[in-house]
Amino acid sequence: MTFYTYGYLTQHHNTWQYARIGLIIALLIIFIGLFVYYLRHRWNVKYKDLSIISGTLLLLTLGFQINSLVSLRSATEQTGEITATVKQVAKQLAVKPADLAVNATTTNNNLLFKTPKGYYRLDYNSDGSAYVLEKVNLHHPKVTLTKE
């Protein structure tokens, strides 16, 4: 069973976003350079072809970036929900949120919390407005702790 620490939930960012933005900027510079060179020397058709290829790569990378940003926004909203839940549970158990670990990165109906006081199960009511926190005993748990 994998548990995620509070630090992992709050600091887990997708570093590929920065690499993709750098790639988009590089492709844009290459595209503009090749297109300007083609406009100056119209007799050299290979720069036209290279600018079309780099423009296509630029559009493809932009499409991937937009798709990734939409999924990142959704994941960020879900992470915000689970971190708020972790803070509430930490307050109820009188421990720091950094001392807690949860078995999911999104809120669902059956969350397990690993605390210094033991394991707790969080069970929401039918409409999700309230929850019950009860202590549980896990027999021979194989726990993997994922930290930032």
Side-chain angles (χ1 to χ4, degrees):
M1 186 179 298
T2 303
F3 282 87
Y4 303 96
T5 62
Y6 182 74
Y8 176 83
L9 294 173
T10 57
Q11 301 296 325
H12 183 68
H13 298 292
N14 193 352
T15 56
W16 285 103
Q17 298 297 324
Y18 300 115
R20 284 186 186 153
I21 290 172
L23 180 64
I24 288 171
I25 291 171
L27 283 172
L28 184 64
I29 290 170
I30 291 170
F31 172 73
I32 290 172
L34 290 171
F35 190 70
V36 166
Y37 195 81
Y38 165 70
L39 290 177
R40 286 188 178 175
H41 308 305
R42 291 192 185 262
W43 52 269
N44 203 344
V45 182
K46 74 177 178 180
Y47 293 105
K48 175 185 170 187
D49 296 338
L50 288 173
S51 66
I52 289 172
I53 291 171
S54 66
T56 305
L57 286 174
L58 176 66
L59 290 176
L60 182 66
T61 308
L62 275 173
F64 283 138
Q65 181 67 18
I66 290 170
N67 184 29
S68 180
L69 286 175
V70 168
S71 65
L72 182 65
R73 181 177 176 203
S74 170
T76 303
E77 289 172 1
Q78 291 175 351
T79 301
E81 292 173 2
I82 192 71
T83 54
T85 304
V86 169
K87 286 180 184 177
Q88 289 175 352
V89 169
K91 185 176 181 181
Q92 187 173 355
L93 294 174
V95 295
K96 294 185 286 187
D99 294 336
L100 293 180
V102 64
N103 71 332
T105 56
T106 61
T107 54
N108 55 28
N109 196 23
N110 197 12
L111 291 175
L112 288 176
F113 285 90
K114 180 182 182 301
T115 69
K117 300 177 181 180
Y119 293 94
Y120 287 85
R121 183 173 67 97
L122 185 119
D123 192 19
Y124 285 101
N125 65 352
S126 60
D127 65 353
S129 62
Y131 61 85
V132 173
L133 191 64
E134 61 185 349
K135 188 171 174 96
V136 294
N137 292 323
L138 298 179
H139 297 286
H140 306 293
K142 292 184 180 180
V143 174
T144 305
L145 196 61
T146 304
K147 300 178 182 179
E148 183 61 26

